[in-house]
Amino acid sequence: MKKMMKAAAVCAFTVMTMSFMVQSEKPMTKQADGTYVVNTTSLTQNVKGYQSNTPLKIYIKKDKVVKIEALANKETPKFFKKVETGVLGKWNGKSVKAAQKLKVDGVTGATLSSNAVKENVKRGLEYYVKNK
């Protein structure tokens, strides 16, 4: 019983610490080479895919999207892999202005995850434009 209580206390502390880290993380940072990195974790807490949030990191340099990478999420790995390969690269190389106007199709079989990723990109780019 004591071991279970101790484990529960450690687990609660870990969750609180991780929650604080996510909340205190800045949505946008600037790297030494001038690349802005927008982390959508705090910008899209209410955006859900099939099972969870789908936070992203959007890398922008000289007002062009360099790359977008998925952060940890609880989506079904098999289907989210399709989103990563079929959707995330669509904005690469586009100016931020063009990327904001881009209409990207989702991946069949992963519609909710695709829509969540597209909303993450939309909000991340909006944040960049307002705060760069």
Side-chain angles (χ1 to χ4, degrees):
M1 183 67 158
K2 285 183 180 180
K3 285 183 180 179
M4 286 177 57
M5 290 176 63
K6 195 181 257 187
V10 168
C11 185
F13 176 76
T14 303
V15 168
M16 288 183 345
T17 302
M18 289 176 66
S19 175
F20 174 75
M21 288 170 47
V22 168
Q23 291 173 358
S24 65
E25 188 171 307
K26 293 180 183 178
M28 186 165 64
T29 58
K30 187 175 181 182
Q31 298 178 335
D33 69 351
T35 302
Y36 286 89
V37 182
V38 180
N39 182 326
T40 67
T41 302
S42 65
L43 303 175
T44 58
Q45 292 177 344
N46 64 335
V47 176
K48 305 282 190 232
Y50 179 67
Q51 294 187 40
S52 70
N53 295 359
T54 57
L56 307 171
K57 277 191 178 179
I58 305 170
Y59 293 80
I60 303 167
K61 186 171 185 178
K62 297 181 181 176
D63 278 334
K64 283 193 174 191
V65 177
V66 177
K67 70 177 178 176
I68 300 174
E69 58 185 42
L71 297 174
N73 63 65
K74 295 179 183 160
E75 297 295 273
T76 308
K78 175 183 172 183
F79 293 104
F80 198 73
K81 188 68 174 167
K82 291 179 181 183
V83 174
E84 288 181 306
T85 57
V87 176
L88 288 183
K90 300 292 184 181
W91 293 274
N92 293 354
K94 305 270 190 270
S95 71
V96 170
K97 190 174 184 178
Q100 287 182 296
K101 294 177 184 178
L102 190 63
K103 302 292 183 208
V104 175
D105 290 331
V107 176
T108 301
T111 304
L112 296 175
S113 299
S114 297
N115 289 343
V117 164
K118 291 188 287 185
E119 183 63 22
N120 269 267
V121 172
K122 177 183 174 223
R123 291 190 191 182
L125 294 175
E126 286 172 353
Y127 186 88
Y128 166 78
V129 169
K130 289 179 184 174
N131 296 282
K132 66 178 177 174

